[in-house]
Amino acid sequence: MLFVLPDLPYAKDALAPVISAKTLDFHHGKHHQAYIDNTNKLIAGTELENQTLEAIIQATANDPKRVGIFNNAAQVWNHSFYWQCIKPGGGGKPTGPVAERIERDFGSVDAFAGAFKEAGLTQFGSGWAWLVERDGKLEIMKTSNADTPLAHGIKALLTVDVWEHAYYLDYQNRRGDYLTEFIAKLINWDFVNEQLAK
Ligand code: MN
């Protein structure tokens, strides 16, 4: 059973000008596809080949002999999650149950937005910033390279990709501008609420 690239849940030009069709062409069509192809190749003929993606990630996390499998499988999961975290006309104020949880655990929506942006800005090199739920509390988390909350038994609610391939064609070195636009215009709060309810 091979993993396949999931379709984007919107048209390729639907996120412009925040994220251009050109970025999505490369990011979804080339980078995400490559992580999927590499995962399929690396698990072929091993005991992992009929496992779920989540099981593969958990089995290879912290295993130095299988770091290549972990890196590719975790990037498959992170990207599939990232596409669903955004939508055309999203962003702005949270809605539903997550809005109350953000007020309770961060003090305000602005405090959450500031902390989420700061995590993305201060992730040195490639990685991800996250909103997660840990021990019943919402928190900001950042991970390097392919690392993912799933590998730490932590529930992910929202992520932003801060690898340069996610924003460089549209923003060059201005990672902060990408994060500001992402928060203001793209976050799919319905998806975040679905994760919270799981
Ligand atoms: Mn990426």
Side-chain angles (χ1 to χ4, degrees):
M1 197 181 63
L2 294 174
F3 293 111
V4 294
L5 183 68
D7 289 334
L8 289 172
Y10 28 75
K12 211 167 262 182
D13 58 1
L15 303 180
V18 182
I19 296 175
S20 66
K22 191 172 182 191
T23 290
L24 290 179
D25 259 339
F26 282 92
H27 197 183
H28 176 256
K30 305 288 185 195
H31 291 276
H32 194 180
Q33 182 71 64
Y35 296 129
I36 286 169
D37 293 344
N38 288 335
T39 300
N40 286 332
K41 248 179 264 169
L42 290 166
I43 63 173
T46 77
E47 80 280 10
L48 297 172
E49 79 178 336
N50 290 312
Q51 304 272 340
T52 64
L53 190 58
E54 288 78 4
I56 292 168
I57 291 166
Q58 282 159 349
T60 57
N62 306 312
D63 180 350
K65 290 192 296 293
R66 297 193 289 184
V67 69
I69 298 176
F70 175 80
N71 282 340
N72 282 283
Q75 283 293 77
V76 171
W77 193 91
N78 289 346
H79 283 87
S80 296
F81 191 82
Y82 170 72
W83 306 130
Q84 298 175 81
C85 286
I86 52 186
K87 67 172 187 181
K93 288 223 177 302
T95 54
V98 76
E100 283 167 40
R101 299 287 301 277
I102 283 175
E103 290 282 346
R104 190 187 80 188
D105 295 337
F106 292 94
S108 69
V109 173
D110 286 350
F112 152 75
F116 188 67
K117 180 178 175 181
E118 184 67 11
L121 263 178
T122 57
Q123 171 51 41
F124 186 74
S126 295
W128 302 79
W130 305 82
L131 174 66
V132 300
E133 184 185 41
R134 173 159 36 189
D135 301 329
K137 198 166 176 287
L138 301 198
E139 288 178 12
I140 301 296
M141 180 177 183
K142 50 185 179 176
T143 59
S144 291
N145 299 319
D147 195 17
T148 180
L150 184 62
H152 305 270
I154 296 168
K155 190 206 275 188
L157 304 178
L158 167 70
T159 194
V160 60
D161 188 344
V162 295
W163 284 59
E164 285 186 346
H165 67 221
Y167 62 87
Y168 217 83
L169 291 174
D170 298 322
Y171 299 88
Q172 294 78 50
N173 61 319
R174 293 175 288 111
R175 189 190 285 190
D177 290 351
Y178 158 66
L179 290 164
T180 297
E181 293 291 286
F182 182 99
I183 293 165
K185 296 175 183 167
L186 290 188
I187 294 174
N188 182 348
W189 289 112
D190 293 337
F191 178 75
V192 178
N193 275 308
E194 282 167 28
Q195 305 319 299
L196 188 62
K198 277 183 184 172

